[in-house]
Amino acid sequence: MYGRYLVNFDSSEIEHVETEILSIGGGIAGLYTAWQSARAGFDVMLLTKRTISDTNTDRAQGGIAAAIGESDSPELHYKDTIAAGAGLCDEAAVRILVTEGTDRVQELIDIGANFDYYGEKLAMTKEGAHSKRRILHAHGDATGAEISRVLLEQVKMFDNATIFEQHFVVDLLVKENECCGVLVFDESTGNYRIFWAKAVILATGGAGRVYNYTTNPTVATGDGIAMAYRAGAEVMDVEFVQFHPTTLVLPGVPRFLISEAVRGEGAVLRNSRGERFMPSYHGMAELAPRDIVARAILSEMAKTGENCVYLDLTHLNADRIRERFPTITKTCLKYGLDIAKDLIPVAPAAHYIMGGVKTNIDGETSIKHLYACGENACLAVHGANRLASNSLLDGLVFGKRIVELLKKQKRLKKELEVKKTRFVCEELVDAACDFSSIESELKVVMNENVGPLRTSQRLMQALSFFDRQECLRKYKARNSKEMEVQNMLEVGRLIAEAAMMRTESRGGHFRLDFPETVLRWKKHIILRK
Ligand code: SIN
């Protein structure tokens, strides 16, 4: 059957490695689950396809939300998350996120995460759709890098935890709906290896790279979602893609995130005529939910015929701004822009996928022994539109719950054994196509047809592009780049299919031909091969 695996292999002829727990991904969810597993006494291996710092987490600017401020409460955080999620949040999951989230953030502080302080108190900023200042940040706008640093430090303390860099997970090995391990391509040797495990945790992050314009690094190719789907797992809510309103737009420069925290600290948006426009779109103005700000920007761009609007920080204290946002300051300066003096040209770009591999509140997927957490997972905790700075929190809270479940299973001596069985794929043929031009075309197709403003006609165009690529399934991937392209095609097609099905507008999914939110669509789309 074409489309089950990306390469030909016979597990009986490949080097084997065995562990108890396998965490796939080097971002917050992978590092955290590896650390917690090691602490619990499990043998754990963490696989990452590039280097351990080449992740979306490492670039996260804004921060991590937690209801720990004096005038704040998990109840308020709950209400904000539910409101931003546009009717599709799983209420129980959100309750867990906001209550257990405070302990997880405290845990980070306890292990030495250097969050920023104002005097004696933790500094907290505001971001879109939050009713309180509750976003902790580190080194101004380098929160993700600080969290990665402390988690990595913890993982490295344990002899029972091993990190494998340059290990590209090609496919999940699943027999009779039980995950037994993974097939891995070791980039450093050019060899394949099988990693058998009692439990596999997918923590591969996002899929922003299916779009031309994205804040995501090149690693964000939706691998976890694609391989889980190929293996028969249920995938949910993938039509909901969040477009971050403010990414730097300069000719020849890759899109760079200008954190929402910049607006949280008082920056305003102006169109090319210099008019501040957000107050006329929403009562929360620049701090309205992300989907609303992104669409308002697109509407202003359409009105003025320009390819961007402008972030204006010129009325704010220059020294304070440069100190508060050192990464953004440095990056903009590289392109000749002083954020305190110049208007910053910005436009929306793909940032985060709310959907992913469907899990329950303990990270269990529809495949036994396969778990998922972080951006590649979906338990509807973000609904149709994620509240800013809830994603790092999500990785910690639901990563923790997976390891707690595994600990419980171990105590009960239940369900934890390595199952080694033979897996073979031999029907794929040598590729006869140029994957890099297909990748370029895919990104343009996704941007033009499956972006923030969708119509049935545009989605049809996208789906017919994917139909034309179906024949590629018979080819064996020759290297990890081709594997990524196959994964991106899989995920792009899933997004387009779900977006076509959902004939309404809600959160991150907006249909110009169905602009209303309708009650009968207050439900999830679950896709399964
Ligand atoms: C940002 O800094 O604006 C991104 C934060 C997030 O995506 O939650």
Side-chain angles (χ1 to χ4, degrees):
M1 180 186 53
Y2 292 137
R4 170 60 189 93
Y5 298 108
L6 295 184
V7 295
N8 287 336
F9 70 103
D10 179 341
S11 63
S12 68
E13 293 169 0
I14 299 176
E15 185 197 344
H16 292 206
V17 178
E18 186 178 322
T19 187
E20 290 187 285
I21 297 179
L22 206 53
S23 284
I24 308 176
I28 191 165
L31 283 171
Y32 187 80
T33 50
W35 171 43
Q36 289 296 319
S37 302
R39 266 182 90 186
F42 289 112
D43 282 332
V44 56
M45 292 182 181
L46 183 153
L47 306 179
T48 181
K49 66 178 176 177
R50 306 253 166 86
T51 65
I52 196 71
S53 60
D54 204 350
T55 63
N56 240 332
T57 298
D58 205 65
R59 287 159 183 75
Q61 296 179 2
I64 182 163
I68 56 178
E70 273 157 23
S71 65
D72 201 0
S73 69
E75 188 57 31
L76 290 174
H77 191 184
Y78 172 85
K79 283 188 179 148
D80 293 345
T81 303
I82 294 279
L88 273 201
C89 288
D90 181 293
E91 293 176 7
V94 177
R95 188 69 69 195
I96 290 168
L97 179 81
V98 298
T99 48
E100 297 183 13
T102 56
D103 291 343
R104 298 287 74 78
V105 168
Q106 186 56 50
E107 194 174 32
L108 289 182
I109 296 170
D110 293 344
I111 60 171
N114 287 315
F115 290 113
D116 296 333
Y117 278 77
Y118 281 142
E120 300 280 288
K121 289 195 174 154
L122 276 167
M124 280 181 235
T125 194
K126 209 168 170 198
E127 287 182 351
H130 285 273
S131 57
K132 294 281 168 191
R133 294 182 81 91
R134 65 165 72 96
I135 321 296
L136 280 73
H137 44 87
H139 312 296
D141 54 6
T143 315
E146 176 60 13
I147 294 176
S148 297
R149 181 192 70 75
V150 283
L151 289 178
L152 182 59
E153 210 172 83
Q154 294 300 314
V155 174
K156 283 184 171 168
M157 282 181 198
F158 287 90
D159 291 340
N160 51 332
T162 318
I163 294 174
F164 293 83
E165 295 185 310
Q166 311 292 348
H167 275 57
F168 189 102
V169 176
V170 184
D171 267 305
L172 298 169
L173 302 176
V174 175
K175 201 141 266 166
E176 286 156 10
N177 206 41
E178 283 191 42
C179 186
C180 315
V182 298
L183 171 68
V184 172
F185 180 61
D186 178 349
E187 300 265 9
S188 57
T189 60
N191 294 330
Y192 288 93
R193 298 166 98 181
I194 303 285
F195 282 70
W196 302 116
K198 295 175 179 176
V200 174
I201 304 174
L202 277 180
T204 63
R209 281 280 154 176
V210 301
Y211 289 91
N212 222 356
Y213 298 127
T214 177
T215 59
N216 291 191
T218 55
V219 289
T221 52
D223 305 334
I225 300 174
M227 73 178 84
Y229 181 77
R230 280 197 296 275
E234 289 178 345
V235 164
M236 184 164 91
D237 286 352
V238 282
E239 67 275 32
F240 296 108
V241 175
Q242 182 167 78
F243 292 83
H244 197 289
T246 54
T247 66
L248 184 65
V249 180
L250 288 174
V253 171
R255 289 295 178 93
F256 171 74
L257 179 70
I258 308 289
S259 176
E260 192 153 309
V262 170
R263 278 173 281 135
E265 298 293 347
V268 296
L269 284 162
R270 299 191 185 282
N271 62 22
S272 58
R273 297 186 204 117
E275 300 152 348
R276 185 176 173 207
F277 56 85
M278 270 318 298
S280 62
Y281 285 88
H282 196 276
M284 294 178 91
E286 279 79 5
L287 291 180
R290 253 177 214 176
D291 56 321
I292 293 169
V293 182
R295 280 194 297 277
I297 291 175
L298 291 172
S299 153
E300 292 298 309
M301 283 162 54
K303 268 191 221 161
T304 58
E306 300 284 328
N307 71 344
C308 64
V309 296
Y310 296 89
L311 256 179
D312 181 358
L313 292 80
T314 55
H315 53 293
L316 303 173
N317 179 299
D319 292 338
R320 155 105 185 95
I321 283 303
R322 292 187 193 116
E323 186 194 340
R324 174 70 182 82
F325 300 109
T327 314
I328 297 172
T329 300
K330 197 167 136 203
T331 306
C332 287
L333 265 185
K334 194 164 90 185
Y335 304 118
L337 287 172
D338 179 344
I339 66 164
K341 290 198 184 133
D342 299 314
L343 296 181
I344 312 173
V346 291
H351 182 59
Y352 186 90
I353 183 159
M354 270 68 76
V357 183
K358 182 177 182 295
T359 74
N360 62 14
I361 51 170
D362 291 317
E364 294 175 292
T365 70
S366 57
I367 295 177
K368 225 170 155 193
H369 310 309
L370 177 68
Y371 301 82
C373 56
E375 190 173 346
N376 69 182
C378 177
L379 71 161
V381 72
H382 307 302
N385 177 44
R386 176 176 62 83
L387 185 67
S389 287
N390 267 356
S391 53
L392 295 174
L393 195 67
D394 165 13
L396 298 177
V397 168
F398 294 101
K400 172 80 175 172
R401 292 180 71 91
I402 293 174
V403 180
E404 288 304 312
L405 182 69
L406 294 172
K407 278 159 69 178
K408 195 153 105 195
Q409 288 174 358
K410 190 175 188 174
R411 273 198 306 277
L412 299 174
K413 301 203 170 8
K414 255 176 54 183
E415 299 193 347
L416 284 178
E417 59 176 293
V418 177
K419 281 218 173 112
K420 298 182 207 165
T421 160
R422 190 165 170 221
F423 289 87
V424 182
C425 170
E426 51 195 13
E427 72 266 21
L428 302 176
V429 300
D430 285 329
C433 63
D434 174 5
F435 275 91
S436 80
S437 67
I438 294 165
E439 179 186 4
S440 309
E441 201 183 339
L442 161 76
K443 289 168 190 285
V444 173
V445 165
M446 288 299 288
N447 242 79
E448 287 178 358
N449 303 301
V450 201
L453 303 175
R454 301 163 176 178
T455 63
S456 126
Q457 206 186 5
R458 288 177 191 171
L459 292 166
M460 288 280 277
Q461 299 247 13
L463 289 172
S464 77
F465 164 79
F466 289 112
D467 283 348
R468 292 197 300 281
Q469 313 311 319
E470 277 300 299
C471 58
L472 302 182
R473 290 187 190 278
K474 66 176 182 291
Y475 294 140
K476 57 183 179 218
R478 288 169 289 202
N479 50 49
S480 57
K481 185 69 236 168
E482 293 187 356
M483 294 174 203
E484 285 184 338
V485 177
Q486 293 278 26
N487 287 340
M488 287 191 279
L489 287 169
E490 194 79 80
V491 175
R493 188 177 53 76
L494 291 173
I495 298 172
E497 273 178 12
M500 182 61 127
M501 281 181 215
R502 186 172 285 278
T503 46
E504 66 152 358
S505 293
R506 184 187 293 273
H509 168 74
F510 195 88
R511 292 277 303 252
L512 290 165
D513 46 354
F514 294 97
E516 305 300 327
T517 301
V518 291
L519 196 57
R520 73 182 171 82
W521 267 114
K522 195 169 164 11
K523 56 188 173 189
H524 303 278
I525 294 177
I526 298 171
L527 302 172
R528 183 160 179 259
K529 200 170 158 100

